Each structure stands twice: as C-alpha cells, then as structure tokens.
Amino acid sequence: MWLDTIYHATNPVAFALGPLTVRWYGLAYLAGFVCAGLVMMRTSRRWRLGLTSDEVLNIVVGVAFGVIVGARLGYVLFYGAGYYLANPIKILAFNEGGMSFHGGLVGAIVGGALVCRQMRISIPTVCDLAVIGAPIGLFFGRCANFINGELWGKPTDLPWGVMFSNTGGGYVYRHPSQLYEAILEGIVIFVVLYALSRRVPPRPQGTFLGTFLALYGCFRFLIEFVRMPDSQLGYLLGTGWLTMGQCLSVPLAILGVVLVVWAHRLDRPQVGHLESARG
C-alpha cells in the first residue's frame, strides 16, 4: 500500500513559527486563489477583454471571501444536522473544519458578482473566466483533504488503499476518494476547460460555467459511491447509497447542461467592461 506510506509520512502542519501554525489546508486555499487569478488574467488577455491586473485581483478577493463564507454556511445548512442550531457560536469555528463545495460555489458567484457590478464588468464573462481556474483550487483542496485524513472512502483491497488514522472504523484500508476527486474535479475539468478556452474568439458566455457545473456534478455523483457519507447524516431516505453530496450534485449537472444549451442558442460574445458590450 504505497499511498498509505505517503499519507502517514506527511504532516498536516506545513510549518510553525512560534505560536503560529500553518497547515497545508490553509496553504491549499491560498494557492488555489492565486493560481485561479493567474489563469483568469492569462485567459482574459487571450480573449482581449481589456481587464487590468488590479481588476482581476479585486475580483479574486471578492470571490475568495464569498467562497469562505459560502462554504461555511453551506456546510452548516446542508451537513449540520441540527448541531449548529443548538450551538450557533460554532458557526464561526472555522478551525474545526466543515466546508461545503456547493455553498462555496454560491458564495463565489455572489462575491464575484458584487465586485463586478461595482466595476461594471460583465458578470457572465467573469463566471466563465473563474471556472477555468477554479479546478486548480479544487485540486489543491482535495489534496489537503487527503493530508488531513478527512472525507475518506469506503474499504478497499486495491493496492493504493490508505489506512486513515481517524476514521474510528478500525484498521481498514480505504479508497483515497479525496485524490479521486482531485484528479477528476481538478485535473480533468481544468484540462477540458482550458482546452476550450484556447479558441479565439472565445465560445459564448455561459459555455464554461455550464461545462464546469455539468462535469463537476457528474464526477461528484460518481465518486460518492466510493466515499463514506458524512457520519452525522449517513445515507438518505433509507436507500443505503444516496448521499447529501449526490442530492446536491444532480441539480448542478442538470443546470450545467441547460446553461451550455442556453449559451449556444443566445450566442452572446465574451466581453470585459459593460461599456464594450454591444446590443
């Protein structure tokens, strides 16, 4: 079990400076936002949108705040199972973990949209730019989940199984479902979207957001079959297989397909500042 050896040899704490402890999880968020911003800047230049580096930075900051707040609130609403109603102060306990991708997605759109509205930049185009770089952040985040030994998979006898130390389920090798997600939600989606973004003039507004949602929804739904459900929720509706992650991912996949169809029917060009839009 070679991957198990790597897991146990990796410390969740990247480094410590006196009382300050920096974990890989926090660095993953930072690296994700930085790389996403660089991808947005590079793509906007290739598309000739006229966005400055300061404008892209402002958008990334808005998205970052939206992701953090939205991911936390999403976890509280969808995965809290009543715990946070009884302990509302714990909602602010970010150090105890608990972030939801689906909530983070909503927060990212809201945070980015508020900044774009203030600077009069096209929100649909920025959404398309952002999701091209977003898979890089997902990749880093899932790798950090693996290092932290959280969101583990079901038992397996495959040669890359990992015996996570805090499962409470005994000495059992499990699917490294975090890394499955890192590959599919991170690498695969990024390669697809980046390849699509190479065309100039770019594909219509909504194409990239729709493709991202469709692919993420499908990949997340499939990976949930080898990932353990959240312990406080278990399987839903007494099915023995349906998880909250699947319930939240199906609408994403459907919405993604609808967006792609809608984008190509309307055929609206990608624009930067709203003053540059025509019609």
Side-chain angles (χ1 to χ4, degrees):
M1 299 295 186
W2 57 273
L3 195 56
D4 182 70
T5 302
I6 295 176
Y7 164 72
H8 286 285
T10 306
N11 191 332
V13 176
F15 60 89
L17 296 174
L20 177 64
T21 298
V22 179
R23 302 176 68 88
W24 288 111
Y25 194 80
L27 292 178
Y29 266 81
L30 177 61
F33 290 129
V34 170
C35 291
L38 292 174
V39 171
M40 289 177 65
M41 190 71 253
R42 183 180 180 89
T43 305
S44 70
R45 288 175 179 170
R46 186 165 60 251
W47 290 358
R48 299 180 178 88
L49 299 178
L51 299 180
T52 67
S53 56
D54 286 342
E55 288 171 333
V56 173
L57 177 60
N58 288 336
I59 293 170
V60 171
V61 171
V63 169
F65 275 105
V67 166
I68 294 172
V69 174
R72 184 57 175 173
L73 293 180
Y75 183 84
V76 169
L77 292 174
F78 297 126
Y79 297 94
Y83 172 77
Y84 295 99
L85 287 176
N87 304 275
I89 192 64
K90 289 292 186 178
I91 294 175
L92 302 177
F94 285 85
N95 60 310
E96 296 181 4
M99 306 289 271
S100 163
F101 165 81
H102 301 86
L105 175 64
V106 175
I109 293 174
V110 173
L114 290 175
V115 175
C116 289
R117 185 175 180 180
Q118 183 178 14
M119 297 190 298
R120 292 193 55 77
I121 295 174
S122 172
I123 294 174
T125 289
V126 167
C127 284
D128 278 346
L129 286 173
V131 296
I132 297 171
I136 302 177
L138 287 174
F139 172 79
F140 287 132
R142 294 309 186 190
C143 289
N145 290 147
F146 174 77
I147 293 173
N148 282 351
E150 58 194 8
L151 307 181
W152 53 81
K154 295 179 179 179
T156 182
D157 57 0
L158 292 171
W160 54 82
V162 177
M163 191 179 295
F164 294 102
S165 54
N166 56 347
T167 64
Y171 299 99
V172 178
Y173 286 102
R174 297 178 178 275
H175 284 285
S177 54
Q178 314 95 325
L179 299 185
Y180 299 167
E181 293 186 77
I183 294 171
L184 293 177
E185 300 168 5
I187 297 175
V188 173
I189 295 182
F190 174 73
V191 169
V192 170
L193 293 179
Y194 190 76
L196 290 175
S197 75
R198 299 290 297 173
R199 194 181 81 174
V200 178
R203 289 168 169 80
Q205 286 184 341
T207 302
F208 298 88
L209 178 60
T211 303
F212 173 83
L213 294 178
L215 290 177
Y216 180 90
C218 290
F219 288 155
R220 177 66 181 271
F221 186 89
L222 293 174
I223 291 173
E224 288 285 318
F225 284 112
V226 296
R227 172 176 158 175
M228 291 295 294
D230 291 81
S231 57
Q232 70 273 24
L233 295 179
Y235 294 109
L236 306 182
L237 306 177
T239 58
W241 61 270
L242 182 64
T243 67
M244 178 61 77
Q246 289 175 319
C247 289
L248 296 175
S249 295
V250 169
L252 283 188
I254 295 174
L255 177 60
V257 173
V258 171
L259 276 177
V260 171
V261 173
W262 168 83
H264 285 268
R265 284 185 177 178
L266 294 184
D267 197 25
R268 291 178 177 171
Q270 303 284 359
V271 296
H273 298 89
L274 294 179
E275 293 83 353
S276 65
R278 296 290 183 268

